[in-house]
Amino acid sequence: MTSDPVTELSEAEYRSVWDRFYREFAFSPSVNPAKWPAIKEPADSVTWSLTSLDEDPSYTRLDRFVAVVEHGLTACVEPEARLFALDWQHISYSFAPHRVGGHGQEPWPLSPYPDGDYYIYLSGDFRLGSFGHPWESSVCLFGQELLDTVAAEVEDVLGPPLRRAGRSLPVT
């Protein structure tokens, strides 16, 4: 394991992590709304629409959303733990969340906000993370510990969720 706070996944690591993600989450990328969501959302998951951020010209709410998710992911892993930051069909990373994002530190690789492609954060054991869907304009957060840490604040920023455990919720 590297001591660098952020490292690119080697080709073998990249294939291994993505193969496992495809298998465990039944990942099926598509721009076709009839095929969304693009993953089998876990039982301990909540999915929010990101469309409310479109009405945020100063990016205040976007910045708050990103900070909340990054804080939650960091809080839910041990200080020496690493997360995966996956960018579909692009370079992906392993990084130490406790050693990035602060003053004088490297920035987080990618973002929980899917800026044009699927962006995924995963703990090493795949028990928690985020799945950003660029075409649905949504983010799915999963893992009960992560949800307990951030769900109320994410809902405050983004509004009521679209789905829980992969099931659509009534529009309020």
Short mmCIF file of all heavy atoms in Angstrom, two decimals, residues 63-77 83 95 97-98 100-101 108 112 121 128 145-146 148-150 153-154:
data_model
loop_
_atom_site.label_atom_id
_atom_site.label_comp_id
_atom_site.label_asym_id
_atom_site.label_seq_id
_atom_site.Cartn_x
_atom_site.Cartn_y
_atom_site.Cartn_z
N ASP A 63 -21.53 23.46 -3.02
CA ASP A 63 -20.36 23.38 -2.14
C ASP A 63 -20.73 22.74 -0.80
O ASP A 63 -19.97 21.92 -0.26
CB ASP A 63 -19.74 24.76 -1.90
CG ASP A 63 -19.09 25.34 -3.15
OD1 ASP A 63 -18.83 24.58 -4.12
OD2 ASP A 63 -18.84 26.56 -3.16
N ARG A 64 -21.89 23.10 -0.27
CA ARG A 64 -22.34 22.51 1.00
C ARG A 64 -22.60 21.02 0.83
O ARG A 64 -22.20 20.22 1.68
CB ARG A 64 -23.59 23.23 1.50
CG ARG A 64 -24.06 22.71 2.84
CD ARG A 64 -25.16 23.57 3.43
NE ARG A 64 -25.79 22.89 4.54
CZ ARG A 64 -27.09 22.94 4.80
NH1 ARG A 64 -27.89 23.68 4.04
NH2 ARG A 64 -27.58 22.28 5.81
N PHE A 65 -23.27 20.63 -0.25
CA PHE A 65 -23.53 19.22 -0.51
C PHE A 65 -22.23 18.43 -0.58
O PHE A 65 -22.08 17.39 0.07
CB PHE A 65 -24.33 19.06 -1.82
CG PHE A 65 -24.30 17.68 -2.39
CD1 PHE A 65 -24.99 16.64 -1.77
CD2 PHE A 65 -23.58 17.40 -3.54
CE1 PHE A 65 -24.96 15.35 -2.29
CE2 PHE A 65 -23.54 16.13 -4.06
CZ PHE A 65 -24.23 15.10 -3.43
N VAL A 66 -21.26 18.92 -1.36
CA VAL A 66 -19.97 18.23 -1.49
C VAL A 66 -19.29 18.11 -0.13
O VAL A 66 -18.80 17.04 0.24
CB VAL A 66 -19.07 18.96 -2.52
CG1 VAL A 66 -17.65 18.43 -2.48
CG2 VAL A 66 -19.66 18.80 -3.93
N ALA A 67 -19.27 19.20 0.63
CA ALA A 67 -18.62 19.18 1.94
C ALA A 67 -19.29 18.19 2.89
O ALA A 67 -18.60 17.47 3.63
CB ALA A 67 -18.63 20.59 2.55
N VAL A 68 -20.61 18.12 2.87
CA VAL A 68 -21.34 17.20 3.75
C VAL A 68 -21.00 15.76 3.41
O VAL A 68 -20.70 14.94 4.30
CB VAL A 68 -22.86 17.44 3.65
CG1 VAL A 68 -23.65 16.30 4.29
CG2 VAL A 68 -23.22 18.77 4.29
N VAL A 69 -21.02 15.41 2.13
CA VAL A 69 -20.73 14.03 1.73
C VAL A 69 -19.27 13.68 2.03
O VAL A 69 -18.98 12.60 2.57
CB VAL A 69 -21.08 13.79 0.25
CG1 VAL A 69 -20.64 12.39 -0.19
CG2 VAL A 69 -22.58 13.97 0.04
N GLU A 70 -18.35 14.58 1.70
CA GLU A 70 -16.94 14.31 2.00
C GLU A 70 -16.72 14.13 3.49
O GLU A 70 -16.01 13.22 3.92
CB GLU A 70 -16.05 15.42 1.45
CG GLU A 70 -15.96 15.41 -0.07
CD GLU A 70 -15.15 16.57 -0.64
OE1 GLU A 70 -14.76 17.49 0.12
OE2 GLU A 70 -14.91 16.56 -1.87
N HIS A 71 -17.32 14.99 4.30
CA HIS A 71 -17.20 14.87 5.75
C HIS A 71 -17.77 13.52 6.23
O HIS A 71 -17.16 12.84 7.06
CB HIS A 71 -17.91 16.02 6.47
CG HIS A 71 -18.04 15.80 7.94
ND1 HIS A 71 -16.99 15.96 8.83
CD2 HIS A 71 -19.09 15.38 8.68
CE1 HIS A 71 -17.40 15.65 10.05
NE2 HIS A 71 -18.67 15.29 9.99
N GLY A 72 -18.93 13.16 5.71
CA GLY A 72 -19.56 11.91 6.12
C GLY A 72 -18.72 10.69 5.76
O GLY A 72 -18.55 9.79 6.58
N LEU A 73 -18.20 10.67 4.55
CA LEU A 73 -17.35 9.54 4.15
C LEU A 73 -16.11 9.46 5.03
O LEU A 73 -15.70 8.37 5.45
CB LEU A 73 -16.96 9.66 2.67
CG LEU A 73 -18.08 9.40 1.67
CD1 LEU A 73 -17.67 9.87 0.28
CD2 LEU A 73 -18.46 7.93 1.65
N THR A 74 -15.52 10.59 5.32
CA THR A 74 -14.32 10.62 6.17
C THR A 74 -14.66 10.13 7.58
O THR A 74 -13.92 9.33 8.17
CB THR A 74 -13.73 12.03 6.22
OG1 THR A 74 -13.43 12.45 4.88
CG2 THR A 74 -12.46 12.08 7.06
N ALA A 75 -15.77 10.59 8.11
CA ALA A 75 -16.17 10.23 9.48
C ALA A 75 -16.47 8.74 9.63
O ALA A 75 -16.37 8.20 10.73
CB ALA A 75 -17.39 11.05 9.90
N CYS A 76 -16.83 8.09 8.53
CA CYS A 76 -17.26 6.69 8.60
C CYS A 76 -16.15 5.68 8.34
O CYS A 76 -16.42 4.48 8.33
CB CYS A 76 -18.40 6.47 7.60
SG CYS A 76 -19.92 7.30 8.07
N VAL A 77 -14.93 6.15 8.15
CA VAL A 77 -13.82 5.21 7.95
C VAL A 77 -12.70 5.53 8.94
O VAL A 77 -12.56 6.66 9.40
CB VAL A 77 -13.28 5.22 6.49
CG1 VAL A 77 -14.37 4.77 5.52
CG2 VAL A 77 -12.73 6.58 6.10
N LEU A 83 -10.32 5.07 0.46
CA LEU A 83 -11.54 4.94 -0.33
C LEU A 83 -11.16 4.83 -1.80
O LEU A 83 -10.06 5.23 -2.19
CB LEU A 83 -12.44 6.17 -0.16
CG LEU A 83 -12.98 6.49 1.23
CD1 LEU A 83 -13.74 7.81 1.20
CD2 LEU A 83 -13.89 5.37 1.72
N PHE A 95 -7.58 6.65 -2.29
CA PHE A 95 -7.12 7.81 -1.55
C PHE A 95 -7.46 7.69 -0.07
O PHE A 95 -8.33 6.92 0.33
CB PHE A 95 -7.70 9.11 -2.14
CG PHE A 95 -9.16 9.31 -1.88
CD1 PHE A 95 -9.60 10.19 -0.91
CD2 PHE A 95 -10.11 8.63 -2.64
CE1 PHE A 95 -10.95 10.39 -0.68
CE2 PHE A 95 -11.46 8.82 -2.42
CZ PHE A 95 -11.88 9.70 -1.44
N PRO A 97 -9.01 9.56 2.81
CA PRO A 97 -9.86 10.74 3.02
C PRO A 97 -9.43 11.61 4.20
O PRO A 97 -9.69 12.81 4.20
CB PRO A 97 -11.26 10.15 3.24
CG PRO A 97 -11.02 8.75 3.67
CD PRO A 97 -9.75 8.32 2.98
N HIS A 98 -8.76 11.02 5.19
CA HIS A 98 -8.30 11.81 6.33
C HIS A 98 -7.08 12.66 5.99
O HIS A 98 -6.67 13.48 6.79
CB HIS A 98 -7.98 10.89 7.52
CG HIS A 98 -9.19 10.26 8.12
ND1 HIS A 98 -9.93 10.88 9.10
CD2 HIS A 98 -9.80 9.08 7.88
CE1 HIS A 98 -10.95 10.10 9.45
NE2 HIS A 98 -10.90 9.00 8.72
N VAL A 100 -6.68 14.28 2.77
CA VAL A 100 -6.94 15.12 1.61
C VAL A 100 -7.99 16.17 1.97
O VAL A 100 -8.73 16.02 2.92
CB VAL A 100 -7.42 14.30 0.38
CG1 VAL A 100 -6.35 13.33 -0.08
CG2 VAL A 100 -8.73 13.58 0.66
N GLY A 101 -8.02 17.24 1.16
CA GLY A 101 -9.08 18.22 1.28
C GLY A 101 -8.85 19.33 2.29
O GLY A 101 -9.57 20.32 2.28
N TRP A 108 -9.70 16.31 -2.81
CA TRP A 108 -10.35 15.02 -3.04
C TRP A 108 -10.34 14.73 -4.54
O TRP A 108 -10.62 15.64 -5.34
CB TRP A 108 -11.80 15.08 -2.57
CG TRP A 108 -11.99 14.81 -1.12
CD1 TRP A 108 -11.47 15.51 -0.08
CD2 TRP A 108 -12.78 13.77 -0.56
NE1 TRP A 108 -11.88 14.97 1.09
CE2 TRP A 108 -12.69 13.90 0.83
CE3 TRP A 108 -13.55 12.75 -1.09
CZ2 TRP A 108 -13.35 13.04 1.70
CZ3 TRP A 108 -14.21 11.90 -0.23
CH2 TRP A 108 -14.11 12.04 1.15
N PRO A 112 -18.66 14.02 -5.20
CA PRO A 112 -19.93 13.28 -5.13
C PRO A 112 -20.93 13.78 -6.18
O PRO A 112 -21.91 13.10 -6.47
CB PRO A 112 -20.42 13.52 -3.71
CG PRO A 112 -19.68 14.69 -3.21
CD PRO A 112 -18.40 14.79 -3.99
N TYR A 121 -17.83 6.87 -5.05
CA TYR A 121 -16.92 6.68 -3.92
C TYR A 121 -17.32 5.38 -3.25
O TYR A 121 -18.51 5.12 -3.04
CB TYR A 121 -17.05 7.81 -2.89
CG TYR A 121 -16.45 9.13 -3.32
CD1 TYR A 121 -17.23 10.27 -3.36
CD2 TYR A 121 -15.10 9.23 -3.66
CE1 TYR A 121 -16.68 11.50 -3.73
CE2 TYR A 121 -14.55 10.45 -4.04
CZ TYR A 121 -15.35 11.57 -4.07
OH TYR A 121 -14.80 12.77 -4.43
N LEU A 128 -20.07 1.10 2.11
CA LEU A 128 -20.67 2.44 2.07
C LEU A 128 -20.04 3.24 0.95
O LEU A 128 -18.95 2.92 0.47
CB LEU A 128 -20.53 3.16 3.41
CG LEU A 128 -19.14 3.44 3.97
CD1 LEU A 128 -18.55 4.72 3.42
CD2 LEU A 128 -19.23 3.54 5.49
N GLU A 145 -24.29 3.62 8.26
CA GLU A 145 -23.48 4.56 9.03
C GLU A 145 -23.36 5.91 8.30
O GLU A 145 -23.49 6.97 8.91
CB GLU A 145 -22.09 3.98 9.28
CG GLU A 145 -21.21 4.84 10.13
CD GLU A 145 -19.83 4.24 10.38
OE1 GLU A 145 -19.49 3.19 9.81
OE2 GLU A 145 -19.08 4.86 11.15
N LEU A 146 -23.15 5.86 6.99
CA LEU A 146 -23.07 7.10 6.21
C LEU A 146 -24.41 7.83 6.23
O LEU A 146 -24.47 9.05 6.43
CB LEU A 146 -22.63 6.81 4.78
CG LEU A 146 -22.55 8.02 3.84
CD1 LEU A 146 -21.54 9.05 4.35
CD2 LEU A 146 -22.18 7.57 2.42
N ASP A 148 -26.77 7.65 8.48
CA ASP A 148 -27.00 8.21 9.81
C ASP A 148 -26.22 9.50 10.01
O ASP A 148 -26.66 10.40 10.72
CB ASP A 148 -26.59 7.21 10.90
CG ASP A 148 -27.52 6.00 10.97
OD1 ASP A 148 -28.62 6.03 10.39
OD2 ASP A 148 -27.11 4.99 11.60
N THR A 149 -25.07 9.60 9.37
CA THR A 149 -24.19 10.76 9.52
C THR A 149 -24.63 11.95 8.68
O THR A 149 -24.53 13.09 9.13
CB THR A 149 -22.73 10.37 9.16
OG1 THR A 149 -22.33 9.26 9.98
CG2 THR A 149 -21.76 11.51 9.37
N VAL A 150 -25.14 11.71 7.46
CA VAL A 150 -25.35 12.83 6.54
C VAL A 150 -26.76 13.02 5.99
O VAL A 150 -27.06 14.07 5.43
CB VAL A 150 -24.38 12.74 5.33
CG1 VAL A 150 -22.94 12.72 5.78
CG2 VAL A 150 -24.71 11.58 4.42
N GLU A 153 -28.76 16.33 6.70
CA GLU A 153 -28.18 17.54 6.11
C GLU A 153 -28.26 17.51 4.59
O GLU A 153 -28.50 18.54 3.96
CB GLU A 153 -26.74 17.72 6.58
CG GLU A 153 -26.25 19.12 6.33
CD GLU A 153 -24.97 19.46 7.08
OE1 GLU A 153 -24.47 18.66 7.87
OE2 GLU A 153 -24.48 20.58 6.84
N VAL A 154 -28.08 16.33 3.97
CA VAL A 154 -28.23 16.23 2.52
C VAL A 154 -29.66 16.58 2.13
O VAL A 154 -29.90 17.32 1.17
CB VAL A 154 -27.82 14.83 1.99
CG1 VAL A 154 -28.20 14.67 0.53
CG2 VAL A 154 -26.33 14.61 2.18
#
